[in-house]
Amino acid sequence: MLENILSLNNITKSFDGELVLEDLSLDIKRNEFVTLLGPSGCGKTTTLRIIAGFVMPDQGSVLLEGEDITTLPTEKRCINTVFQKYALFPHMTVAENIAFGLKIKKKDDDYIRQKIKYALELVNLTGFEKRKPRSLSGGQQQRIAIARAIVNEPQILLLDEPLGALDLKLRQDMQKELIRLKKELGITFIYVTHDQEEALTMSDKIVVMNQGYIQQIGTPEDIYNEPQNAFVADFIGSANLLAGTMIHDELVSINDVRFDCVDKGFGNNKPVDVVIRPEDVEIREKGQGIFPAVVTSVLFKGVHYEIFAKGIGIDWMIHTTAYHEVGAEIDLYVKPFNIQIMNKPESEDEAVIQTE
Amino acid sequence: MKNFICKFYLAIIMIFLYAPILVLVVLSFNSSKSRVVWGGFTLDWYRDIFRTSQIMSALQNTIVLALGSAFFATIIALLACIGIDAMRRREYSVVMAVTNIPMLNADIVTGIAMMLLLIRFMPLGFSSIMLAHITFNIPYVILSILPRFNQLDVSIYEAARDLGAGPVYSFFKVVLPELAPGIVSGFFMAVTMSMDDFVITYFTKGPGVNTLSTMIYSQIRKGIQPTMYALSTIIFLITVLVLIVANILSAPQKKRGMIHTPGNHI
């Protein structure tokens, strides 16, 4: 068995002369929960539709289990999709919806009946066989759409922003549900979303995309803690994105204030991008931090306060559980390993990719 | 008082709308040929309809024309809708404008134009009427089916393909049922348009071929017979029946949507 269940090789696709994907290559391992994450128009949905077979790439190839399926029509692929707006067949009952794929594969009635029962148990909707999709809530319809896809035992399940239309509470429940399903079924999930929190919660691997290019591939921890460029840092979570100069290894200067850090190998006196997460900026008593600042605004966010403070010519975003009054004079401190240094984009092309 | 005026107003509207038809129905049972004297109840005029071969052939023509033209117009309109739906916005509005012109156009212009065209290729007769009826029915059926296409969620077609169905099977199994209410009501609209038509039929028909409307028109010159009242009563009843059937066929869809509004709650 190959390690990679799916490989996209040098995929290029344009619509009406507008380049959507350029020279995209991506390998997906067996049993991985992979999330394609990016803002709308980044090419993530097009990538998914190429995998599903709804869109043919202009160039490049798609390999499933090492076999070229680039030109294979959708219905011949061992891949099933859960659509954004569920796409249940409105004139059929829940059971007929789930049986649709199995009937085409000419499975016998007993097998189909068992499969329907099993799938409905899996998505916690036992007893819904005779209902029509219209009489179900959004969350229930979504589960039926998942049941309909998985009874066909696909090698890969594609999910196109499946939770986009649900409210927050339901979305969080469904996220847990999807992780459980993934574990029970043991198949590869490829998930498309623009919601970074969703991606961080569920994925084994995140592929951050922007403007048709892959920006970074990594585990949720990698992507969050070690963003490779300013776009990723900015898109994943909130961040203080700063321009700095690497004076030498483990020392960076921001607006002429020197910070100890742990990154090496950027050279001496090189301009770099610096990311500091708002929860990593610490508020300290006067005289105990690195530099002084004045609180300019305080917002209550539930779990924490979001405080903006002005210091060394920069508006710092700070997440903290302690309240500070507007106008308070404070000191700020950042631990060396919480300062993330990134190379500046080297060419203009790269800069275009990274800024939206 | 306000309530009374409302009801009175409504009653007057109803009387103006339906009193003439009521008179017609009553007269069709009148044994006297006079339009003012009640000579007693009779079904003779109804019996005469079925004895007059002229009426029977006109009736047959009307029915065959209505069902036939509606059938072909529905198929052509369905195919047209598939194409129109796939068009870009600009082409779409151009084609829809072209489609709408025949409906706004005066019947008499359409009638003369159809006659001029058809006479070039065939002797005027039953076939020429059929072609003319199919032609003027197409825009109405398109207008009835196209909104269904706009409501159609393309992803259900993709979902069917995704689950292993070929393009043709997906269309018939998943897309067509969604379009069905539009197709059915378009078909019935075409039937009534065809049955209703006089002007275009009159221009495209040949000698000896009559539909009910052209036949009744030719009768006027000889003075209208009470059989015509009976015939009109039957046509009226059939129309009402068709309307009721069409409403029943398309109503459940709407009702279901009204009772279970799709929500995001569990």
Side-chain angles (χ1 to χ4, degrees):
Chain A
M1 275 223 292
L2 293 159
E3 193 194 8
N4 294 330
I5 189 163
L6 186 83
S7 299
L8 301 177
N9 299 321
N10 311 97
I11 301 278
T12 297
K13 177 73 195 173
S14 52
F15 290 114
D16 300 326
E18 206 169 307
L19 212 56
V20 181
L21 295 175
E22 192 174 349
D23 200 26
L24 178 132
S25 295
L26 178 64
D27 290 323
I28 288 165
K29 292 199 183 72
R30 209 171 295 281
N31 288 348
E32 259 186 334
F33 195 128
V34 179
T35 300
L36 307 180
L37 175 68
S40 44
C42 73
K44 56 190 193 299
T45 297
T46 306
T47 309
L48 196 79
R49 290 173 66 78
I50 285 173
I51 299 171
F54 297 128
V55 172
M56 297 287 153
D58 298 336
Q59 281 164 39
S61 61
V62 184
L63 303 184
L64 179 66
E65 300 273 17
E67 235 173 280
D68 192 328
I69 59 160
T70 315
T71 55
L72 201 67
T74 307
E75 59 266 30
K76 301 255 163 63
R77 300 186 183 195
C78 235
I79 296 174
N80 287 113
T81 310
V82 176
F83 291 84
Q84 191 169 11
K85 280 182 269 158
Y86 325 135
L88 296 176
F89 308 132
H91 60 287
M92 298 184 193
T93 63
V94 165
E96 287 165 342
N97 263 284
I98 297 174
F100 190 86
L102 299 173
K103 279 196 179 136
I104 289 167
K105 293 190 187 74
K106 303 254 186 311
K107 304 283 188 192
D108 63 70
D109 288 354
D110 255 1
Y111 177 87
I112 292 178
R113 214 172 304 125
Q114 277 172 20
K115 269 287 184 185
I116 292 172
K117 195 164 167 285
Y118 162 77
L120 285 176
E121 268 169 29
L122 205 61
V123 295
N124 291 329
L125 285 177
T126 307
F128 277 66
E129 284 89 343
K130 297 223 162 61
R131 300 277 289 271
K132 285 280 178 78
R134 246 184 267 270
S135 72
L136 303 179
S137 71
Q140 290 168 334
Q141 291 189 39
Q142 190 54 272
R143 288 161 198 235
I144 299 300
I146 293 167
R148 183 178 67 176
I150 58 179
V151 289
N152 300 289
E153 298 174 358
Q155 288 172 295
I156 301 176
L157 187 68
L158 308 177
L159 301 109
D160 183 10
E161 306 214 18
L163 309 184
L166 306 179
D167 60 56
L168 181 67
K169 187 76 188 66
L170 202 52
R171 207 156 61 217
Q172 288 168 343
D173 291 346
M174 283 299 290
Q175 286 174 9
K176 288 187 201 120
E177 201 96 326
L178 280 172
I179 298 170
R180 178 182 65 82
L181 272 174
K182 160 81 183 50
K183 286 201 182 109
E184 268 176 54
L185 294 166
I187 56 176
T188 310
F189 276 40
I190 302 179
Y191 192 95
V192 159
T193 185
H194 62 264
D195 184 331
Q196 38 104 0
E197 185 236 309
E198 216 168 270
L200 292 172
T201 313
M202 296 194 288
S203 325
D204 297 324
K205 189 157 98 182
I206 297 178
V207 179
V208 185
M209 294 180 70
N210 190 30
Q211 307 226 333
Y213 294 90
I214 293 177
Q215 302 287 322
Q216 186 173 357
I217 302 176
T219 64
E221 289 87 350
D222 282 347
I223 301 271
Y224 189 82
N225 294 330
E226 314 274 329
Q228 274 171 13
N229 59 42
F231 172 79
V232 176
D234 194 38
F235 191 72
I236 310 287
S238 31
N240 293 294
L241 258 179
L242 314 164
T245 309
M246 204 70 187
I247 295 178
H248 52 75
D249 281 356
E250 304 187 1
L251 189 66
V252 64
S253 143
I254 301 165
N255 282 8
D256 295 328
V257 176
R258 293 182 174 209
F259 291 78
D260 288 325
C261 62
V262 293
D263 293 283
K264 292 178 205 169
F266 286 89
N268 295 343
N269 294 317
K270 281 276 288 220
V272 288
D273 281 329
V274 181
V275 174
I276 301 172
R277 296 286 176 195
E279 64 271 24
D280 292 333
V281 184
E282 295 172 28
I283 296 177
R284 295 199 165 179
E285 300 266 316
K286 271 264 169 267
Q288 293 181 12
I290 302 175
F291 58 91
V294 179
V295 176
T296 54
S297 77
V298 181
L299 283 171
F300 180 61
K301 290 276 189 173
V303 188
H304 57 77
Y305 290 98
E306 184 170 284
I307 294 177
F308 281 91
K310 192 143 181 118
I312 56 169
I314 295 164
D315 270 323
W316 296 85
M317 184 200 271
I318 306 158
H319 288 173
T320 170
T321 49
Y323 178 78
H324 293 268
E325 265 179 34
V326 173
E329 294 188 6
I330 49 172
D331 260 18
L332 295 181
Y333 177 81
V334 187
K335 287 196 182 96
F337 68 83
N338 281 332
I339 295 176
Q340 168 71 18
I341 311 285
M342 301 171 306
N343 272 318
K344 280 241 182 247
E346 274 165 17
S347 62
E348 264 183 41
D349 254 5
E350 221 179 311
V352 170
I353 302 164
Q354 287 175 3
T355 50
E356 222 183 315
Chain B
M1 186 60 194
K2 192 180 165 197
N3 204 9
F4 171 76
I5 292 174
C6 283
K7 283 193 173 145
F8 183 70
Y9 183 61
L10 187 67
I12 288 181
I13 291 176
M14 286 302 178
I15 287 169
F16 273 102
L17 278 177
Y18 291 106
I21 297 172
L22 189 70
V23 170
L24 176 92
V25 174
V26 171
L27 285 180
S28 74
F29 296 109
N30 183 5
S31 66
S32 149
K33 278 196 176 189
S34 160
R35 270 167 242 165
V36 281
V37 183
W38 179 252
F41 181 86
T42 180
L43 287 172
D44 286 357
W45 309 123
Y46 287 88
R47 192 194 57 205
D48 283 356
I49 291 176
F50 297 97
R51 285 188 179 166
T52 319
S53 64
Q54 204 192 356
I55 297 179
M56 288 317 283
S57 90
L59 183 67
Q60 191 197 339
N61 284 342
T62 304
I63 292 171
V64 174
L65 275 170
L67 294 178
S69 71
F71 178 75
F72 288 111
T74 305
I75 288 176
I76 295 170
L78 178 61
L79 295 173
C81 285
I82 295 173
I84 293 170
D85 185 58
M87 285 176 183
R88 287 155 209 276
R89 185 160 290 275
R90 209 186 151 77
E91 301 164 12
Y92 184 98
S93 42
V94 170
V95 171
M96 281 320 288
V98 171
T99 306
N100 286 338
I101 292 171
M103 284 192 293
L104 303 172
N105 201 4
D107 271 3
I108 194 145
V109 179
T110 311
I112 294 173
M114 290 303 300
M115 177 197 70
L116 286 174
L117 174 77
L118 292 171
I119 208 166
R120 170 74 183 73
F121 298 103
M122 56 171 68
L124 293 182
F126 182 82
S127 326
S128 58
I129 307 176
M130 179 65 100
L131 285 176
H133 278 216
I134 293 172
T135 309
F136 78 69
N137 267 335
I138 289 172
Y140 292 98
V141 187
I142 287 180
L143 224 60
S144 166
I145 297 178
L146 205 58
R148 283 273 153 190
F149 265 95
N150 297 338
Q151 286 169 24
L152 193 71
D153 182 4
V154 197
S155 58
I156 65 165
Y157 171 76
E158 289 186 342
R161 296 287 304 275
D162 187 75
L163 292 167
V168 177
Y169 185 83
S170 302
F171 178 79
F172 280 101
K173 194 78 185 175
V174 172
V175 179
L176 206 58
E178 287 304 294
L179 302 175
I183 294 173
V184 170
S185 70
F187 177 83
F188 279 111
M189 194 189 287
V191 168
T192 51
M193 294 300 296
S194 167
M195 281 183 27
D196 212 31
D197 178 71
F198 168 72
V199 179
I200 295 169
T201 313
Y202 192 73
F203 277 98
T204 51
K205 84 185 191 70
V209 185
N210 266 320
T211 64
L212 285 177
S213 56
T214 60
M215 187 208 61
I216 293 171
Y217 177 73
S218 65
Q219 294 276 311
I220 294 174
R221 275 175 286 181
K222 298 180 220 158
I224 273 201
Q225 296 292 309
T227 42
M228 289 302 116
Y229 305 150
L231 187 58
S232 303
T233 305
I234 292 175
I235 295 173
F236 173 69
L237 286 179
I238 291 173
T239 314
V240 170
L241 217 67
V242 168
L243 269 174
I244 291 171
V245 169
N247 272 312
I248 289 172
L249 282 178
S250 58
Q253 204 74 23
K254 281 181 204 146
K255 261 190 194 152
R256 243 181 280 144
M258 268 150 63
I259 294 167
H260 305 286
T261 44
N264 286 340
H265 51 85
I266 278 195

